[in-house]
């Protein structure tokens, strides 16, 4: 008996499952961006951005360099680069979402 058709079906099923997982993971991260961003911020940013950097520190930037989500995202990426924090775009976006939700409240 030839098992090739079963092997092909199995390979297709595994490929489809892998593709769905790749698609689902970013969607799951986006749903939890702010909470994940809070964790990342606590681990990597809070040492420098807690005291004396409080809510007033973050909101004071609104009139300066940070005027929208794009500039906030750029600033978070710049900080990560400066301090050699090896974040992917999803992690930068998560921290930006947390900062926006907590301090900036851009649309």
């Amino acid at each position: 008996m030839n098992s090739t058709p079963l092997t092909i079906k199995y390979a297709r099923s595994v490929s489809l499952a892998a593709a769905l997982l790749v698609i689902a993971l970013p969607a799951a991260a986006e749903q939890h961006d702010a909470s994940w961003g809070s964790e990342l911020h606590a681990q990597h940013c809070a040492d420098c951005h807690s005291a004396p950097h409080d809510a007033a520190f973050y909101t004071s930037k609104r009139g300066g360099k940070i005027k929208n989500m794009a500039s906030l995202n750029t600033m978070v990426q710049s900080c990560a680069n400066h301090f050699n924090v090896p974040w992917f775009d999803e992690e930068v976006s998560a921290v930006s979402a947390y900062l926006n939700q907590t301090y900036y409240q851009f649309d």
Side-chain angles (χ1 to χ4, degrees), residues 3-19:
S3 63
T4 304
L6 183 58
T7 304
I8 292 171
K9 286 182 182 180
Y10 177 76
R12 286 181 184 160
S13 296
V14 169
S15 296
L16 178 60

Side-chain angles (χ1 to χ4, degrees), residues 21-78:
L21 183 61
V22 168
I23 293 168
L25 286 176
E30 289 173 5
Q31 293 173 1
H32 305 289
D33 273 353
S35 61
W36 185 33
S38 175
E39 294 172 20
L40 292 168
H41 184 271
Q43 292 170 356
H44 299 281
C45 309
D47 285 347
C48 294
H49 290 288
S50 55
H53 302 316
D54 55 6
F57 167 80
Y58 288 108
T59 56
S60 70
K61 297 291 186 179
R62 182 176 248 168
K65 294 179 184 178
I66 301 174
K67 297 181 181 182
N68 53 40
M69 278 302 293
S71 59
L72 175 57
N73 207 46
T74 299
M75 183 59 72
V76 171
Q77 183 65 63
S78 296

